[in-house]
């Protein structure tokens, strides 16, 4: 076939394979962008939970004050369930001990979809709890995290005794001891009650661990999108005392 009779000359308006591919790619890109924009502009399930870190902490502690006073609100769980079927946007996350006397949802007078809670004996941040906190911050947009210790923590007390007696506890409990041991050792030279000191130090250390967890949590803290604080739940009163 001569040059004058080439396919491009016979069909000058026919798109080339390259242009078709580029067009398809650009169309797909626009579709993905539209989907992302639609997600970004979608009204959150609980608009009242879209808060700054400071406002989230204030709301959390306001709920604790109501709980302590015995004036907890009546929550409409039926309609909250319906609103939360398609998603969630908790205003705070709590890393709490698994102790049966500590119930963050009650202690902060919260409703469904308000708190993203991780619980483990000794309220320490391991890979799983850090990953969970990364999820709630990066995906759900949660603006604050509270590490919540409490009086007379059995996990911390067991760690103190294990280190003192140089005797590991049975079963899988040594994994808890290993996680809490650095805080117990760090507080060993402090004056006062050894258990109280270790409980406080454990909270402080895990706040620091979450604040510095790269690459997600530390970046959110640096950008003032996330506040990480610590507190102690008092069993006798239900009051949560924040640590400075």
């Amino acid at each position: 076939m001569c040059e004058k009779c080439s396919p491009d000359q016979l069909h000058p308006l026919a798109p080339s394979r390259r242009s078709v591919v580029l067009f398809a790619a650009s169309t797909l890109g626009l579709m993905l962008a539209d989907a992302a924009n639609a997600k970004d502009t979608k009204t959150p399930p609980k608009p009242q939970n879209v808060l700054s870190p400071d406002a989230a902490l204030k709301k959390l502690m306001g709920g604790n004050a109501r709980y302590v006073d015995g004036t907890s609100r009546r929550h409409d769980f039926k309609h909250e369930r319906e609103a939360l079927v398609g998603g969630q946007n908790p205003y705070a996350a709590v890393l709490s001990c698994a102790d049966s006397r500590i119930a963050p949802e009650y202690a902060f007078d919260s409703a469904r979809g308000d708190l993203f809670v991780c619980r483990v004996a000794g309220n320490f941040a391991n890979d799983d709890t850090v990953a969970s906190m990364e999820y709630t911050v990066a995906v759900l947009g949660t603006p604050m995290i509270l590490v919540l210790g409490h009086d007379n923590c059995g996990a911390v007390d067991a760690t103190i005794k294990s280190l003192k007696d140089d005797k590991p506890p049975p079963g899988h409990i040594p994994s808890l001891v290993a996680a809490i041991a650095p805080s117990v050792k760090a507080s060993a030279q402090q004056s006062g009650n050894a258990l109280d000191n270790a409980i406080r130090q454990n909270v402080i250390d895990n706040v620091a661990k979450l604040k510095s967890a790269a690459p997600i949590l530390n970046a959110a803290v640096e950008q003032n999108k996330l506040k990480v604080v610590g507190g102690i739940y008092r069993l006798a009163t239900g009051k949560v005392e924040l640590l400075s």
Side-chain angles (χ1 to χ4, degrees):
M1 182 180 292
C2 66
E3 293 181 359
K4 294 182 179 180
C5 298
S6 66
D8 289 341
Q9 292 295 328
L10 291 173
H11 304 284
L13 298 179
S16 66
R17 178 180 296 179
R18 176 180 173 80
S19 65
V20 170
V21 171
L22 291 174
F23 176 77
S26 62
T27 301
L28 178 60
L30 289 173
M31 291 173 63
L32 292 174
D34 289 342
N37 290 334
K39 182 179 179 181
D40 291 340
T41 58
K42 182 181 178 181
T43 302
K46 304 191 77 169
Q48 67 272 28
N49 282 356
V50 181
L51 300 168
S52 69
D54 287 336
L57 179 59
K58 182 178 180 180
K59 180 175 181 176
L60 191 73
M61 297 311 294
N64 181 241
R66 293 192 302 274
Y67 169 74
V68 171
D69 292 340
T71 57
S72 296
R73 295 169 177 169
R74 181 182 182 278
H75 298 289
D76 185 356
F77 291 126
K78 181 179 185 299
H79 289 94
E80 283 178 345
R81 283 197 300 268
E82 295 171 358
L84 294 167
V85 169
Q88 59 173 319
N89 62 312
Y91 75 87
V94 181
L95 173 55
S96 168
C97 184
D99 192 298
S100 64
R101 298 167 292 180
I102 315 302
E105 291 84 358
Y106 288 129
F108 297 105
D109 188 24
S110 64
R112 293 180 188 272
D114 283 346
L115 301 183
F116 186 94
V117 179
C118 292
R119 302 187 67 177
V120 61
N123 47 268
F124 59 85
N126 60 10
D127 287 347
D128 295 327
T129 50
V130 171
S132 297
M133 293 300 170
E134 289 177 333
Y135 171 79
T136 195
V137 170
V139 178
L140 304 181
T142 304
M144 74 148 295
I145 297 172
L146 171 68
V147 179
L148 184 62
H150 67 94
D151 296 327
N152 302 321
C153 181
V156 176
D157 190 40
T159 301
I160 293 173
K161 292 176 180 177
S162 178
L163 294 176
K164 181 180 179 180
D165 299 338
D166 193 22
K167 181 180 179 181
H172 292 80
I173 300 177
S175 65
L176 300 179
V177 169
I180 301 169
S183 298
V184 171
K185 294 176 181 177
S187 65
Q189 303 306 316
Q190 298 173 7
S191 60
N193 183 279
L195 178 56
D196 291 344
N197 291 341
I199 289 169
R200 178 185 177 90
Q201 189 64 48
N202 185 48
V203 170
I204 291 171
D205 290 346
N206 283 285
V207 167
K209 184 172 183 178
L210 290 174
K211 278 185 176 180
S212 62
I216 294 174
L217 299 184
N218 67 335
V221 170
E222 290 170 3
Q223 296 165 13
N224 296 318
K225 295 180 179 179
L226 174 68
K227 179 185 286 290
V228 185
V229 300
I232 303 293
Y233 179 94
R234 301 303 181 189
L235 294 174
T237 64
K239 182 178 177 59
V240 174
E241 297 177 4
L242 295 179
L243 301 181
S244 57

